[in-house]
Each structure stands twice: as C-alpha cells, then as structure tokens.
Amino acid sequence: MSIKTITITGAAGQIGYQLAFRIASGQLLGQEEKINLKLLEIPAALDALNGVAMELDDCAFPCLETITATDNASVAFQDCDYAFLVGAKPRGPGMERSDLLLGNAEIFSAQGKAINAYANRNIKVLVVGNPANTNALIAMSNAPEISPNSFTAMMRLDHNRALAQLAAKTDAHVTDIKKLTIWGNHSTMQYPDIYHATVNDQKVINLISLDWIKNTFIPSVQQRGAQIIKLRGLSSAASAASAAMDHVRDWVFGTADNNWISMAIPSDGSYGISEGIIYSFPVICTNGSYEIVQALEINEFSEICLKASEAELLEERKAIEHLL
Ligand code: NAX
C-alpha cells in the first residue's frame, strides 16, 4: 500500500467542497490507496478552509492519512502526485475578459512555479478554474522541469453533459453512447461533435436529424452552464466535481475499451491545431498516459468549429503571452 499526495486549490469553494470529500473517501484511487490531502486557499478563506478540514476529520475516512490546510503554495504542492487546480478569480461586475485572463494568469503562474519547485516529477495536473485551458497553459509554461503532458484542463463536464443530452434524445442510457468528442476550448466556442458517436453501436447521425444536432444539441451543451446558473443562482458544482473525478480516474486507470473521452491537453499539431495551446481532443488513456485518437474524418462543418475554438484560444494566449 502506498500513499499519494493530492492537492486541491480553492478547497473552501463550491467545487472544492464537493471534491475534497469524494477524494478523501477513496472514490478517486480506491480504498487501498492512502491519501495525504493538501488544501490550498487564499488567506481570507482560511477559516472556512479549516472548517472543511474539521469536517473531513469528522468523516473518519479509512484511507485519509493527513490533511493540510494552508495558504502557502509551497506547502500545498510539496510531493504532490495529483493536483486539482480549482481556485480561480471569478469574473466581477464590469470586468473585461482580458482582466479575467490576467488576474488568473498571476494565480496560475505562481502555482506552476510552486509545482515546478515542490511537486512529484510525475505529477498529474487538472485545471478546473476558468479560463481553464489558458490557465493550464500558464501553469505548464511556468513548470519547465515537469513534462508538459502532466498539464490538462477539464472538458469532462461538457462531455458528460453531451452524453446526458444524447441519451435523453435517443432513449438510451449514457453508457450506451460512445465516441463523442468535445473539441477546443471550455467556453461557448467548444464544439460537441457527434459525427463519430454511436448509440448501442449505431451511428448517432443515422438516428437523429442534423437540424436537432446543430440547432438544439450543440447550443444546449454550450449553454448548459449558464442555464444552471439561471436556475440555481450558483454555477455547477457537484457535477463539476464529479467530472473532475472522472477525468483524473480515467487518466490514471485508463479509458473503457472501444471508447474515448475529451481532455484539454497541450496540442501536438494533430488535426491541424496549432501547438502552444491547451486544446480538447478525443483521447484514449492507458497506463497513466493519454494519446490523441488519430485519423478521424473531419467534415467541413466540424473543421469550421474546430478552427473557431482554436482561434479563441490563440486570442486568449495573446492576452497573457508575456507570462509564458
Ligand atoms: P468558488 O468561488 O465557490 O470557489 C473558488 C475558491 O477558490 C474560493 O474559495 C476562493 O477563495 C479560491 N481561490 C481564489 N484564488 C485562489 C488562489 N490563488 N489560491 C487558492 N484558492 C483560491 O468557485 P467554484 O464554483 O468552486 O468554481 C471554481 C472554478 O471552476 C471557477 O473558476 C469556475 O469558473 C470553474 N469551473 C470550471 C468548469 C470546467 O468545466 N472547467 C465547470 C465548473 C466551474 O464553473
């Protein structure tokens, strides 16, 4: 039995509060793995964070060895094996997108440096805090001694949302749907692509009209987050934590046979997407690493959508280039 160190940033926030208990209960790595849990927050949230740590104690989780609640990144990332970078600056009233990018760039460059200095060399990093893809790029660029392949951003919530929509439309179960992809940026420019997807081994495009896909399905996946904010008054939290668990679990233990998932990863130029951005591709995970699914046919409609998301990420990159 080994011990793994798992770090959650923004651990007193909505998503962090969900994530900490799921991880500490063994739902990520299984009951056989002991966990040192490190929780990072800003100084103003330390009281709340200590309250979370007390509740974690009160769960008496068998696989939880130690809990560290801190506002010091060097402490939080010491020996870290898995990092969930959730804490981020929210978009305030009147704030421009460029202000949001810059505010978060400072956070993620500091955390990238701390990972570089203190974390396990084989760390796996999932960035959840928005703008997630570009935040992951900044963290990666500030950690030159860690493999770029260690840095990913979360598209799994979008992927799971798309599965749920398709399952409802086809009267199937989410597990009957395979080979769906969310390409690009975690933003409304993401592209939910069903051209290779199957439901019970039948091609989705043979079952559902293109009109529904283009005019209902794609916008509803892209806008799902906003819809939830409208109804709940708060952004998605439990579903986001669940998706974060799915992302890292599949990365560590492998994806299911005959299927793939969507992960935002450093582009290697596949499908003509520029290198130097963190872009979501269809990936298969085995033995703790991921590989982009190659040679999928991309039709004209898909190509336009892939390029539009790439253009947005290149634009985001431009705004924070001096921090790379
Ligand atoms: P909350 O505002 O509830 O929590 C964020 C927490 O991060 C706060 O407790 C804050 O004190 C902390 N924090 C801020 N700066 C920090 C820093 N430098 N170091 C450590 N902690 C810091 O937000 P929550 O609802 O938990 O969402 C967290 C992030 O996830 C947001 O950026 C949100 O936009 C993003 N999301 C990303 C999703 C994705 O699919 N990639 C989906 C869900 C979510 O919207």
Side-chain angles (χ1 to χ4, degrees):
M1 189 178 295
S2 62
I3 301 191
K4 291 282 188 279
T5 298
I6 304 182
T7 304
I8 304 172
T9 73
Q14 284 204 92
I15 297 172
Y17 187 70
Q18 294 281 336
L19 206 46
F21 293 85
R22 293 184 191 205
I23 291 172
S25 68
Q27 288 177 45
L28 184 71
L29 299 177
Q31 297 298 325
E32 296 306 309
E33 198 80 65
K34 296 280 182 196
I35 296 168
N36 289 327
L37 193 59
K38 301 203 173 181
L39 309 175
L40 181 69
E41 261 293 350
I42 53 173
L46 271 185
D47 277 352
L49 188 65
N50 285 322
V52 175
M54 286 167 71
E55 279 200 81
L56 283 161
D57 272 338
D58 295 348
C59 292
F61 288 127
C63 48
L64 185 55
E65 279 292 300
T66 62
I67 306 169
T68 308
T70 181
D71 60 357
N72 182 336
S74 56
V75 172
F77 291 112
Q78 182 73 51
D79 301 326
C80 176
D81 296 295
Y82 304 103
F84 292 78
L85 306 189
V86 181
K89 197 174 239 176
R91 192 169 190 159
M95 204 190 233
E96 296 292 330
R97 192 170 167 79
S98 55
D99 298 332
L100 181 74
L101 278 160
L102 281 174
N104 279 297
E106 283 162 24
I107 294 174
F108 286 84
S109 64
Q111 292 182 356
K113 289 187 175 85
I115 287 171
N116 195 52
Y118 301 105
N120 182 327
R121 302 298 86 179
N122 297 320
I123 187 173
K124 286 181 164 49
V125 179
L126 169 63
V127 176
V128 175
N130 278 321
N133 302 48
T134 297
N135 289 341
L137 177 68
I138 292 164
M140 180 189 95
S141 308
N142 282 277
E145 289 164 33
I146 306 282
S147 163
N149 292 336
S150 290
F151 291 85
T152 66
M154 189 163 93
M155 303 298 287
R156 190 59 175 267
L157 180 55
D158 309 293
H159 186 102
N160 288 347
R161 284 168 172 165
L163 287 178
Q165 302 275 321
L166 270 185
K169 178 71 177 172
T170 55
D171 254 339
H173 190 263
V174 283
T175 52
D176 298 328
I177 298 170
K178 311 256 191 281
K179 300 185 177 174
L180 177 87
T181 310
I182 310 288
W183 299 87
N185 196 6
H186 171 70
S187 76
T188 52
M189 295 300 285
Q190 66 181 257
Y191 171 47
D193 174 6
I194 50 72
Y195 281 102
H196 309 98
T198 58
V199 181
N200 288 316
D201 299 324
Q202 283 186 281
K203 283 267 195 192
V204 166
I205 42 167
N206 296 336
L207 301 173
I208 301 175
S209 74
L210 272 182
D211 177 58
W212 182 82
I213 287 162
K214 288 184 181 172
N215 298 315
T216 304
F217 170 72
I218 293 177
S220 79
V221 175
Q222 290 169 332
Q223 306 290 340
R224 185 76 167 182
Q227 233 190 331
I228 286 173
I229 292 175
K230 204 164 137 202
L231 295 171
R232 217 171 77 87
L234 291 166
S235 55
S236 311
S239 56
S242 184
M245 300 281 290
D246 289 347
H247 176 116
V248 176
R249 204 191 294 110
D250 281 352
W251 189 1
V252 175
F253 295 109
T255 38
D257 287 346
N258 197 32
N259 200 4
W260 64 66
I261 53 156
S262 309
M263 278 169 76
I265 57 174
S267 171
D268 64 356
S270 293
Y271 295 97
I273 300 301
S274 310
E275 292 182 42
I277 53 176
I278 303 277
Y279 190 95
S280 181
F281 291 95
V283 302
I284 289 173
C285 303
T286 30
N287 301 324
S289 43
Y290 54 76
E291 241 174 70
I292 297 175
V293 177
Q294 296 293 343
L296 295 175
E297 201 185 312
I298 304 295
N299 65 21
E300 204 184 327
F301 174 75
S302 296
E303 179 70 19
I304 291 168
C305 298
L306 261 67
K307 284 290 172 195
S309 214
E310 178 197 35
E312 186 181 52
L313 281 166
L314 288 170
E315 199 60 37
E316 286 187 13
R317 188 194 147 100
K318 217 185 264 171
I320 49 81
E321 208 145 35
H322 58 288
L323 286 163
L324 298 179

